[in-house]
Amino acid sequence: MIFDFDKEIDRYNTSSYKWDVAEKMFGEKGVLPMWTADMDFRSPTFIIDAIKRRAEHGIFGYTVKTESYNEAVAGWMKRRHNWNIEKDWICFSPGIAPALSFIVQAFTQPGDKIVIQPPVYYPFSQVIEKNECELVCNPLKFENGKYVMDFDDLRTKLDSQVKLLILCSPHNPGGRVWTKEELIELGEICFEHNVLVVSDEIHFDLIYKDHTHIPFASLSEEFTQNTIVCTAPTKTFNLAGLLTSNIIIPNRHLRETFMETMNKNFLVFMNSFGVAATENAYIYGDEWLDQCIDYLQQNLDFLINFIESNIKELKVIKPEATYLVWIDCCELGMDDKSLEQFLLKEAKVAPSLGYVFGPGGEGFIRINIGCPRSVLEEGLKRIEKAVNSYTLVKP
């Protein structure tokens, strides 16, 4: 079956955070939203049909995971990621960001330290600070056109107060797919210092050619017992509104501790439609996903060629995964607030601003290419026009 990713779909008046909230959030009319990480592709028919069947039943009572649901999740992990998991390792959360907060609550006390590797997905720092823990930054280094981990710096920062390290794998916003060697070194350092690794792998399905995602917990028995892996079908199949993620915890003690915290927050039941959508996505989704990745690759190639040809002041950090592209705008010579206002008011485009991702994000933007090519082209043309006008009058 051939799936159509070129079709533009009007998302206004659908309670869309990305589209309906843009004007209020950015204070500017007519901006093209290219920021938050959901795609503008229609979910595949087999998922829509599964939701329709569930809706036609007409009763939407308290809902739990089923045996078939667990089998579908385990089958996907084995088929797509060569990772054999036990079905009882799978825990529910209404999302990965909430799961991170519950993990912090479960495994730390106020004042404990938690390590992140900026520039990185900004809710990491928010869940740490909102739960009254101390944020420890182990900044990534930018070498030879890509981000790498600074293991020497990490070793100096792991003292007895550090309880967790939150890993972003694949990395958002930099797009890295960490190699086996990188993950092993990170894991060995954390194991040696008794630091629990929380691996956010929500983008794990969206990997470009010549790269392979490795689930962190799959690398050794030591890592299996010292890792919580956060996964979801939401980025892959555009299901964020169904509030369904799978937190995979092989270590029984860690799993029971996590579930105790979930129960304290009365998060026991699942979204009825999320269960149906996830199960069918993981049973029937391979062909759709393969075509989606091919389309994203073409979008990425289009963006790189367009910027290299038409907006030479910008530099693309080529991602190895995700539909999010990290772009260096430092050559424009603007501070972060000026860059934000320039893009909103002159280009009428709303990307994510790099400074919100923490140290190292200054002067960057993140653009979402999970959209029809016509939408991507429109956004790039708006930026091109604004930059050309700016450089003509720039001192």
Side-chain angles (χ1 to χ4, degrees):
M1 182 180 295
I2 303 300
F3 300 98
D4 182 9
F5 297 97
D6 278 319
K7 183 178 180 181
E8 287 192 40
I9 299 173
D10 184 356
R11 295 185 62 188
Y12 284 114
N13 301 312
T14 62
S15 304
S16 167
Y17 180 57
K18 181 178 181 179
W19 290 85
D20 287 323
V21 182
E23 182 179 331
K24 180 179 180 181
M25 176 168 289
F26 298 109
E28 193 71 27
K29 292 184 177 181
V31 293
L32 184 65
M34 305 185 79
W35 58 299
T36 197
D38 72 11
M39 298 191 286
D40 293 321
F41 305 138
R42 196 167 187 260
S43 291
T45 302
F46 52 83
I47 291 178
I48 296 170
D49 288 344
I51 293 172
K52 286 179 178 178
R53 289 194 298 271
R54 184 65 188 86
E56 286 169 357
H57 182 267
I59 299 176
F60 312 108
Y62 296 120
T63 302
V64 297
K65 292 192 290 103
T66 62
E67 184 69 11
S68 60
Y69 178 98
N70 287 334
E71 288 174 355
V73 174
W76 184 262
M77 299 303 165
K78 172 61 177 174
R79 197 165 67 251
R80 300 295 300 197
H81 301 287
N82 195 32
W83 186 25
N84 291 305
I85 69 170
E86 301 294 332
K87 288 177 283 188
D88 62 1
W89 296 357
I90 303 166
C91 302
F92 160 73
S93 171
I96 287 182
L100 295 176
S101 188
F102 301 140
I103 289 166
V104 171
Q105 293 169 28
F107 298 102
T108 69
Q109 297 295 323
D112 285 341
K113 297 179 181 179
I114 301 174
V115 177
I116 64 171
Q117 297 175 306
V120 73
Y121 182 53
Y122 48 87
F124 286 9
S125 60
Q126 293 173 349
V127 299
I128 293 168
E129 292 167 348
K130 288 180 184 296
N131 284 290
E132 301 179 356
C133 288
E134 181 178 338
L135 177 66
V136 177
C137 289
N138 168 225
L140 300 175
K141 299 187 293 184
F142 191 71
E143 296 179 352
N144 301 316
K146 66 181 182 180
Y147 288 98
V148 297
M149 298 185 195
D150 188 341
F151 296 116
D152 292 334
D153 177 74
L154 178 62
R155 289 185 177 93
T156 68
K157 292 176 176 175
L158 294 187
D159 59 32
S160 61
Q161 289 182 281
V162 176
K163 304 303 180 184
L164 306 177
L165 180 144
I166 305 178
L167 171 67
C168 196
S169 179
H171 183 254
N172 168 20
R176 274 300 314 278
V177 176
W178 305 114
T179 65
K180 181 178 181 180
E181 292 73 22
E182 288 171 307
L183 294 173
I184 287 175
E185 186 163 2
L186 178 71
E188 288 177 345
I189 293 170
C190 290
F191 188 80
E192 177 184 347
H193 289 83
N194 196 32
V195 173
L196 176 64
V197 176
V198 182
S199 188
D200 175 357
E201 304 190 12
I202 194 171
H203 292 279
F204 68 149
D205 290 321
L206 299 163
I207 311 297
Y208 294 116
K209 59 187 177 184
D210 301 324
H211 300 282
T212 302
H213 172 76
I214 303 172
F216 188 83
S218 70
L219 285 164
S220 74
E221 181 58 26
E222 288 178 345
F223 293 4
T224 298
Q225 297 303 317
N226 192 50
T227 305
I228 295 174
V229 179
C230 301
T231 74
T234 51
K235 301 302 182 197
T236 309
F237 296 100
N238 214 28
L239 305 175
L242 297 182
L243 302 177
T244 304
S245 63
N246 299 295
I247 312 305
I248 302 174
I249 312 177
N251 181 303
R252 180 178 177 180
H253 173 68
L254 297 180
R255 188 167 64 249
E256 290 176 350
T257 302
F258 174 77
M259 292 307 300
E260 282 178 16
T261 300
M262 295 290 287
N263 290 336
K264 286 178 184 178
N265 287 279
F266 293 90
L267 286 166
V268 179
F269 301 110
M270 299 179 69
N271 180 304
S272 302
F273 298 121
V275 170
T278 299
E279 184 172 334
N280 281 267
Y282 282 161
I283 293 173
Y284 303 111
D286 295 81
E287 185 178 9
W288 185 91
L289 176 57
D290 291 341
Q291 291 185 36
C292 181
I293 293 171
D294 287 344
Y295 191 87
L296 292 173
Q297 180 72 64
Q298 293 166 24
N299 270 0
L300 176 60
D301 294 342
F302 177 85
L303 175 139
I304 292 172
N305 292 334
F306 188 99
I307 289 179
E308 288 180 349
S309 300
N310 303 296
I311 324 176
K312 297 183 185 299
E313 294 83 359
L314 308 188
K315 301 292 183 291
V316 178
I317 312 306
K318 186 176 181 180
E320 300 166 348
T322 84
Y323 50 76
L324 306 168
V325 183
W326 194 231
I327 299 174
D328 184 347
C329 304
C330 292
E331 195 172 315
L332 292 175
M334 302 179 188
D335 61 37
D336 290 312
K337 292 299 182 182
S338 297
L339 178 60
E340 182 175 25
Q341 291 305 304
F342 171 76
L343 291 168
L344 292 173
K345 294 183 179 299
E346 304 301 326
K348 296 288 187 179
V349 169
S352 296
L353 273 292
Y355 69 89
V356 304
F357 295 88
E362 302 86 356
F364 284 77
I365 60 173
R366 190 193 72 177
I367 283 182
N368 183 340
I369 63 170
C371 58
R373 192 150 314 121
S374 56
V375 176
L376 175 60
E377 183 175 9
E378 171 65 20
L380 292 173
K381 284 182 175 179
R382 291 186 185 192
I383 296 172
E384 176 194 16
K385 182 178 179 181
V387 170
N388 287 344
S389 298
Y390 171 73
T391 54
L392 286 175
V393 300
K394 182 181 177 183

